[in-house]
């Protein structure tokens, strides 16, 4: 046979014989361990397949071409040249058969070629399973819909069915079917139908070594690798590798994905237990392997596509199972062809296809990267990601914000309008509901996350909702809500500060020059916030926003600034941020704003907003789960709790003013916001929430800014449609979760009413004419009632009542002549008759708080 070098351990090539056989050279090095192209399997069946190998999806068979010229279909060519070609083919085929047989002998004793390495066990790409917080599958993501399962956990009836369908002597042979090799070689050289591997071991060998072409070279290498596999691994191990590899149609790779897809069952459920795969179902799955997808010449053996041929194949498999003793005669006699469940096909799950919740997946990818799970590792699959998404909260967010929802306030709005609705648990930072648009593959209006989860690509101007951070900064600087501010003061450049078009004469009920901060917050006037930023420094406002949860902010010229990686030295540069940051000029991603809102709702404790609760991976060998990533729930106090109670109490008033009281009397806090565009509104917001859930709503233009109008044609503001969405969202959550009423902390008034940062003018003094103890109508003073209906209270006198204005006289009992009597003093003096006016001396103070002389009664 020549000087074949066998088992030398070198990488050189050995030749079979010293002479070449024809012109065919065998032993060329194979590339091993490479991945198969996405969507294509690389193993074929032994039997002659109509129209292809049966292991690849329908984009074309893996076994392409033959070494012979094929058959033309035009009749036999009787020319001399054709006869010479046929004789050559026959002689070459005969020589090839000899080579195969000689090679087989070497394989049996000496591993044939020393340069054919045993490839490593293929690490099959799997899908990643994405779950909501209740364990329901949101999506299966990855190149292939596959779940690798340990062979030891696979129901034996499944393994036996596959062996019966594909290789009934699998447990008896040593990996090679010589008849199949000879038959394949002869057919290929004589122009017969293309044929692939024969045994299950050879099929897996072909996949592991990425041997695709049908050729003598490939067949010999396949045989070598099959023998080496059989020497290193036992039959169960080889069967397990094969079952986790095979393609079974509809984008399902591996036996587990197929069992779940066709019957809604797992192959790991032990026989005899509820929902275990039956022998009849196992035979259906095994029958699909021969040809999973339709081809040009055959419909394949998918029972949902070609039930007739699938049943024939099933009968063949069942008969072999009986013959091999893998099922009893009773089981065989009672056989009934099972009906697969109806389920959409996909290489990725259809569960989130075209559904808004699918937008969550890009945020999942981003967080996985932050956990150190690379895109390569993600694409390899096998991860189970449990998200924070609560199905009840998610449903409420979608129904409140989607224009497709008939009950949404957006339902009657133009297609150019878009909303985002985000619900975050303020106690944990978990994103429980997220609506960022109806198209999960489109623009993410909630977080402006790119489709690959790698970068932020936009944001919107928060308008007056940004004031919650300005107030947090102000409270930190000891500014009280009682401070007053001058709304007539011009900017340093001489321009007025806009107050959303409000008439200066009506601002703060005419007190525009000394408007208190609490009223300015409720009415959302801008001027105090500009001067707060000017006084304490706009960097303090930006710091408060950053500490609350806003990480990114855009400059007017579109530069994205990471606030966590920059500071005052950058923020105050020309072209970055001015004092208008205090009332929301600069764009931010709504999701980050929602995180900041959750910090305010959560009493000043920041929890990082996140979409992932845990990430686990299953060991394909043992089936054991290991945690590879988990959420961090530790909160960081960033604002004083008393100061937050102060802010929350003012925000409660905003909810009441806007008539947005929540279901079942649940306390809520809120803040509206609007940023202008052209002659109207371009971004509108309503943010806030309840102790159990922080809620952020944005309404603006879809893709491009538009002038937002309500259905009645008037300009839209945050207190309009956004606040209605906000209320609908929270009310739906309260109802669905049956939430019990929970209150915010009681208000603690903080800050200095005389803060040096405040610039309000002194209010005009009210001069009250002196009198001899008589009440002057409408003026609050000693011995006078506060209005014409009720008497006032003296320092030592009794409580006046009724409509009269009676004054006590010293320590005695004064009696009025009005509709009712004056109050009672502490002394025992005899009351003065007549008109009810005592003669006690008194002084008047031009203050808003009554001041009384000692021992003075008050009618």
């Amino acid at each position: 046979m020549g000087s074949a070098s066998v088992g030398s351990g070198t990488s050189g090539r050995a030749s079979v014989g010293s002479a070449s056989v024809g012109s065919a050279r065998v032993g060329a090095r194979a590339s091993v361990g490479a991945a198969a192209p996405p969507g294509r399997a690389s193993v074929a069946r032994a039997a002659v397949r109509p129209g292809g190998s049966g292991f690849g999806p329908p984009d074309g068979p893996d076994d392409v071409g033959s070494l012979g010229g094929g058959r033309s279909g035009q009749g036999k060519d009787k020319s001399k040249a054709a006869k010479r070609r046929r004789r050559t083919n026959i002689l070459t085929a005969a020589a090839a058969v000899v080579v195969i047989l000689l090679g087989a002998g070497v394989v049996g004793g000496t591993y044939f070629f020393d340069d054919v390495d045993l490839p490593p066990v293929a690490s099959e790409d799997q899908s990643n399973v994405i779950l909501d917080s209740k364990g329901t599958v949101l999506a299966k993501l990855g190149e292939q819909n596959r779940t690798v399962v340990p062979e030891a956990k696979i129901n034996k009836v499944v393994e036996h069915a596959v062996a019966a369908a594909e290789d009934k002597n699998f447990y008896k042979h040593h990996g090679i079917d010589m008849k199949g090799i000879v038959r394949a070689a002869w057919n290929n050289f004589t122009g017969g139908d293309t044929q692939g591997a024969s045994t299950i071991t050879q099929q897996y060998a072909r996949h592991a070594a990425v041997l695709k072409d049908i050729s003598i070279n490939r067949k010999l290498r396949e045989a070598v690798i099959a023998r080496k596999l059989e020497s290193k691994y036992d039959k169960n191990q080889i069967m397990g590798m094969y079952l986790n590899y095979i393609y079974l149609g509809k984008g399902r790779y591996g036996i587990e994905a197929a069992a779940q897809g066709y019957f809604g069952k797992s192959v790991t459920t032990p026989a005899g237990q509820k929902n275990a795969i039956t022998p009849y179902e196992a035979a259906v799955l095994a029958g699909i392997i021969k040809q999973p997808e339709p081809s040009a010449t055959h419909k394949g053996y998918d029972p949902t596509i070609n039930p007739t041929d699938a049943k024939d194949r099933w009968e063949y498999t069942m008969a072999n199972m009986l013959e091999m003793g893998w099922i009893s005669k009773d089981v065989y006699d009672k056989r009934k062809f099972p009906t697969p469940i109806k389920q959409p096909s996909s290489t990725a799950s259809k569960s989130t296809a075209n559904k808004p919740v699918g937008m969550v997946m890009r945020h999942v990818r981003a967080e996985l990267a932050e956990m150190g799970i690379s895109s390569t590792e993600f694409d390899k699959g096998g991860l189970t990601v449990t998200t924070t998404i609560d199905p009840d909260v998610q449903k409420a967010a979608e129904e409140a914000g989607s224009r497709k929802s008939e009950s949404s306030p957006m339902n009657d709005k133009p297609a150019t309008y878009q909303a985002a609705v985000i619900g975050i648990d303020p106690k944990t930072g978990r994103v429980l509901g997220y609506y960022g648009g109806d198209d999960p593959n489109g623009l993410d209006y909630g977080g402006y996350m790119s489709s690959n989860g790698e970068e932020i690509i936009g944001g919107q101007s928060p308008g007056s909702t940004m004031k919650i951070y300005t107030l947090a900064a102000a409270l930190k600087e000891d500014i009280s809500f009682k401070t007053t501010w001058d709304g007539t003061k011009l900017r340093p450049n001489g321009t007025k500060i806009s107050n959303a078009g409000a008439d200066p004469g009506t601002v703060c009920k005419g007190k525009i020059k000394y408007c208190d901060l609490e009223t300015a917050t409720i009415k959302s006037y801008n001027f105090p916030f500009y001067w707060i930023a000017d006084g304490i420094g706009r960097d303090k406002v930006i710091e408060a926003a950053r500490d609350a949860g806003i990480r990114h902010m855009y400059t007017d010229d579109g530069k994205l600034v990471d606030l966590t990686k920059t500071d005052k030295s950058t923020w105050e540069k020309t072209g970055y941020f001015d004092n208008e940051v205090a009332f929301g000029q600069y764009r931010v991603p709504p999701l980050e704003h929602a995180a900041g809102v959750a910090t305010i709702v959560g009493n000043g404790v920041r929890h990082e907003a996140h979409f992932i609760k845990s990430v686990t991976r299953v060991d394909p060998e043992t089936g054991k789960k290991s945690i590879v990533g988990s959420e961090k729930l530790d909160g960081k106090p960033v604002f004083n709790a008393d100061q937050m109670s102060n802010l929350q109490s003012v925000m409660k008033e905003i909810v009441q003013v806007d008539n947005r009281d929540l279901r079942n009397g649940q306390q809520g806090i809120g803040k509206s916001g609007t940023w202008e565009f052209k002659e109207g509104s371009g971004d509108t917001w309503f943010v806030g929430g309840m102790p159990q859930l922080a809620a952020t709503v944005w309404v603006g233009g879809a893709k491009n800014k538009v002038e937002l109008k309500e259905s009645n044609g008037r300009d839209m503001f945050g207190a309009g449609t956004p606040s209605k969405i906000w209320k609908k969202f929270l009310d739906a959550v309260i109802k669905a979760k049956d939430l019990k009423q929970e209150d915010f902390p009681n208000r603690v008034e903080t800050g200095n009413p005389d803060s040096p940062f405040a610039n309000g003018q002194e209010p005009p003094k009210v001069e009250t004419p002196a009198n001899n103890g008589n009440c002057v109508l409408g003026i609050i003073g000693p011995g006078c009632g506060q209005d014409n209906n009720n008497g006032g209270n003296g320092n030592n006198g009794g409580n006046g009542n009724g409509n009269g204005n009676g004054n006590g006289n010293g320590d005695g009992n004064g009696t009025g002549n009005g509709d009712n009597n004056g109050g009672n003093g502490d002394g025992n003096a005899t009351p003065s008759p007549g008109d009810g006016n005592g003669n006690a001396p008194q002084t008047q103070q031009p203050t808003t708080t009554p001041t009384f002389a000692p021992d003075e009664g008050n009618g």
Side-chain angles (χ1 to χ4, degrees):
M1 179 174 168
S3 57
S5 174
V6 179
S8 66
T10 67
S11 60
R13 296 182 176 87
S15 300
V16 181
S18 58
S20 60
V21 180
S23 61
R25 179 174 175 269
V26 294
R29 179 175 298 277
S31 173
V32 297
R40 181 183 292 279
S42 54
V43 174
R45 262 272 302 146
V48 177
R49 287 177 179 75
S53 68
F55 271 78
D59 56 345
D62 291 324
D63 295 340
V64 291
S66 65
L67 297 182
R71 296 175 181 172
S72 68
Q74 302 297 320
K76 183 179 290 187
D77 187 347
K78 297 182 180 180
S79 66
K80 291 182 179 180
K83 289 180 180 179
R84 284 196 299 271
R85 285 197 300 272
R86 284 193 291 273
R87 283 196 298 270
T88 301
N89 284 344
I90 291 171
L91 291 174
T92 304
V97 170
V98 171
V99 171
I100 292 172
L101 294 175
L102 290 174
V106 178
V107 170
T110 61
Y111 281 122
F112 198 23
F113 297 133
D114 62 354
D115 69 337
V116 179
D117 298 323
L118 177 64
V121 175
S123 179
E124 308 297 351
D125 288 345
Q126 304 181 64
S127 57
N128 298 296
V129 181
I130 315 297
L131 309 174
D132 67 19
S133 61
K134 305 300 182 184
T136 302
V137 176
L138 290 176
K140 288 188 176 181
L141 305 177
E143 291 296 328
Q144 296 181 348
N145 177 17
R146 176 189 280 114
T147 301
V148 173
V149 290
E151 184 280 328
K153 291 184 176 292
I154 298 175
N155 189 328
K156 282 297 179 184
V157 72
V158 176
E159 297 185 2
H160 291 155
V162 170
E166 291 292 298
D167 181 9
K168 69 180 182 181
N169 293 315
F170 170 71
Y171 294 101
K172 298 178 180 179
H173 61 61
H174 298 288
I176 300 173
D177 181 349
M178 290 309 304
K179 291 180 181 179
I181 291 178
V182 173
R183 182 175 59 249
W186 182 263
N187 276 305
N188 291 335
F189 274 104
T190 59
D193 290 324
T194 298
Q195 294 189 0
S198 180
T199 70
I200 284 175
T201 310
Q202 284 176 267
Q203 291 180 43
Y204 183 75
R206 180 172 174 241
H207 161 61
V210 197
L211 299 172
K212 288 184 172 295
D213 59 309
I214 295 286
S215 65
I216 292 300
N217 179 24
R218 194 211 80 182
K219 285 295 180 186
L220 294 178
R221 287 182 172 277
E222 187 180 281
V224 172
I225 294 171
R227 283 293 300 119
K228 288 189 174 185
L229 283 169
E230 291 272 347
S231 296
K232 183 172 183 179
Y233 303 102
D234 63 33
K235 290 291 186 179
N236 289 334
Q237 290 173 309
I238 294 172
M239 176 63 79
M241 292 185 283
Y242 177 77
L243 290 179
N244 279 310
Y245 154 66
I246 52 175
Y247 178 67
L248 291 109
K250 289 187 166 59
R252 296 163 183 156
Y253 291 82
I255 197 68
E256 175 69 0
Q260 294 281 3
Y262 287 104
F263 296 110
K265 296 181 177 182
S266 172
V267 297
T268 62
T269 304
Q273 291 190 9
K274 184 180 179 180
N275 291 327
I277 289 286
T278 68
Y280 313 120
E281 293 166 337
V284 171
L285 297 176
I288 297 172
I289 299 172
K290 182 176 182 180
Q291 186 179 327
E293 304 277 10
S295 69
T297 58
H298 192 271
K299 292 182 179 180
Y301 297 96
D302 182 335
T304 65
I305 297 174
N306 186 11
T308 300
D309 287 351
K311 188 173 182 179
D312 290 343
R313 185 69 180 163
W314 175 78
E315 289 282 9
Y316 167 81
T317 303
M318 293 295 297
N320 281 349
M321 291 177 74
L322 176 64
E323 178 189 340
M324 302 304 295
W326 292 326
I327 58 172
S328 67
K329 184 67 164 57
D330 182 61
V331 169
Y332 179 77
D333 290 342
K334 293 179 179 178
R335 68 190 183 281
K336 182 179 179 181
F337 189 73
T339 303
I341 61 174
K342 292 183 178 180
Q343 199 173 63
S345 61
S346 175
T347 53
S349 172
K350 287 287 187 181
S351 58
T352 60
N354 301 317
K355 292 183 179 180
V357 71
M359 192 71 74
V360 168
M361 302 311 146
R362 61 186 71 182
H363 294 279
V364 168
R365 290 291 296 265
E367 287 185 28
L368 288 173
E370 291 178 359
M371 290 180 176
I373 300 172
S374 66
S375 58
T376 300
E377 191 173 1
F378 180 86
D379 291 340
K380 186 173 182 57
L383 302 175
T384 297
V385 181
T386 301
T387 70
T388 59
I389 296 298
D390 182 297
D392 293 327
V393 182
Q394 181 64 27
K395 179 181 179 183
E398 293 177 13
E399 291 185 349
S402 174
R403 189 172 48 257
K404 294 181 179 180
S405 168
E406 293 183 0
S407 61
S408 169
M410 291 291 291
N411 182 251
D412 61 349
K413 301 299 184 289
T416 54
Y417 289 28
Q418 179 63 51
V421 182
I422 304 167
I424 297 177
D425 183 347
K427 299 180 179 69
T428 63
R430 291 171 176 165
V431 181
L432 304 183
Y434 186 84
Y435 172 73
D438 293 312
D439 180 6
N441 299 311
L443 185 60
D444 174 16
Y445 293 99
Y448 287 89
M449 179 65 71
S450 61
S451 58
N452 59 9
E454 293 182 356
E455 60 181 334
I456 301 296
I457 57 174
Q460 301 294 350
S461 300
S464 290
T465 60
M466 187 73 178
K467 293 174 182 175
I468 61 176
Y469 310 122
T470 308
L471 290 168
L475 291 167
K476 193 172 183 179
E477 297 296 323
D478 204 34
I479 296 175
S480 166
F481 276 107
K482 286 186 167 69
T483 53
T484 61
W485 304 81
D486 185 358
T488 64
K489 188 174 181 180
L490 303 179
R491 291 186 180 90
N493 63 7
T495 60
K496 293 181 179 180
I497 299 172
S498 170
N499 287 295
D503 182 353
T506 63
V507 169
C508 214
K509 295 183 179 179
K511 298 184 293 182
I512 189 172
K513 294 184 179 181
Y514 49 97
C515 185
D516 64 278
L517 183 57
E518 184 162 337
T519 299
T521 299
I522 296 170
K523 295 295 185 181
S524 209
Y525 302 133
N526 291 335
F527 57 88
F529 299 93
Y530 179 91
W531 295 117
I532 287 173
D534 187 70
I536 69 174
R538 58 184 178 272
D539 61 297
K540 298 290 180 62
V541 175
I542 299 172
E543 280 181 2
R546 179 202 62 195
D547 292 346
I550 292 182
R551 178 174 178 175
H552 298 93
M553 188 181 294
Y554 282 88
T555 64
D556 279 339
D557 62 0
K559 183 183 300 180
L560 181 63
V561 181
D562 189 333
L563 303 182
T564 66
K565 297 179 180 178
T566 54
D567 56 21
K568 177 180 179 179
S569 62
T570 297
W571 304 337
E572 293 190 344
K573 286 181 180 178
T574 301
Y576 279 77
F577 310 118
D578 210 330
N579 289 345
E580 280 76 4
V581 70
F583 46 88
Q585 173 172 327
Y586 303 101
R587 292 179 295 141
V588 299
L591 176 59
E592 294 182 5
H593 191 14
V597 171
T599 300
I600 303 296
V601 174
N603 307 319
V605 178
R606 186 187 76 213
H607 296 271
E608 299 298 332
H610 60 281
F611 289 83
I612 295 178
K613 292 178 72 174
S614 66
V615 186
T616 61
R617 179 185 288 111
V618 177
D619 187 322
E621 296 297 327
T622 65
K624 292 183 179 179
K625 287 185 178 180
S626 60
I627 298 176
V628 295
S630 60
E631 63 184 343
K632 296 178 181 179
L633 297 179
D634 294 338
K636 179 182 179 181
V638 294
F639 302 127
N640 177 273
D642 287 347
Q643 293 172 0
M644 288 300 99
S645 76
N646 202 8
L647 174 55
Q648 290 166 349
S649 294
V650 174
M651 293 174 69
K652 279 186 206 172
E653 297 180 57
I654 296 173
V655 173
Q656 294 166 358
V657 167
D658 285 336
N659 193 28
R660 297 289 174 249
D661 292 343
L662 298 176
R663 184 184 181 91
N664 296 339
Q666 172 61 59
Q667 279 192 1
I669 64 174
K671 183 69 188 81
S672 61
T674 306
W675 196 256
E676 62 190 18
F677 176 67
K678 293 184 178 179
E679 300 300 319
S681 304
D683 292 296
T684 57
W685 301 74
F686 202 88
V687 307
M690 53 190 179
Q692 307 94 321
L693 185 67
T696 294
V697 174
W698 165 83
V699 176
K703 296 183 180 179
N704 300 313
K705 284 191 182 297
V706 296
E707 289 189 62
L708 303 171
K709 302 289 183 181
E710 297 288 5
S711 300
N712 59 11
R714 295 180 180 177
D715 286 345
M716 182 184 292
F717 295 98
T721 292
S723 71
K724 293 177 182 177
I725 294 173
W726 181 85
K727 174 175 168 56
K728 176 175 172 56
F729 172 46
L730 291 178
D731 281 349
V733 172
I734 293 170
K735 180 179 180 180
K737 309 299 292 184
D738 191 24
L739 295 181
K740 305 305 178 185
Q741 186 173 331
E742 188 175 335
D743 294 340
F744 285 97
N746 292 327
R747 182 175 188 176
V748 178
E749 293 201 37
T750 64
N752 177 11
D754 299 317
S755 169
F757 295 114
N759 62 14
Q761 299 182 21
E762 287 289 330
K765 294 182 178 181
V766 178
E767 297 292 340
T768 304
N771 60 63
N772 62 352
N774 295 328
C775 286
V776 179
L777 185 63
I779 299 178
I780 299 173
C784 296
Q786 292 188 18
D787 55 40
N788 201 37
N789 293 315
N790 296 297
N793 297 316
N795 286 344
N796 291 308
N799 293 319
N801 57 49
N803 296 324
N805 296 314
N807 296 312
N809 183 15
D811 290 335
N813 296 314
T815 302
N817 283 336
D819 293 339
N820 285 292
N821 293 327
N824 295 318
D826 289 338
N828 296 315
T830 303
S832 171
D835 59 5
N837 294 323
N839 296 311
Q842 60 180 332
T843 58
Q844 295 278 358
Q845 298 289 335
T847 64
T848 58
T849 303
T851 302
F852 303 96
D855 301 325
E856 182 178 347
N858 185 28

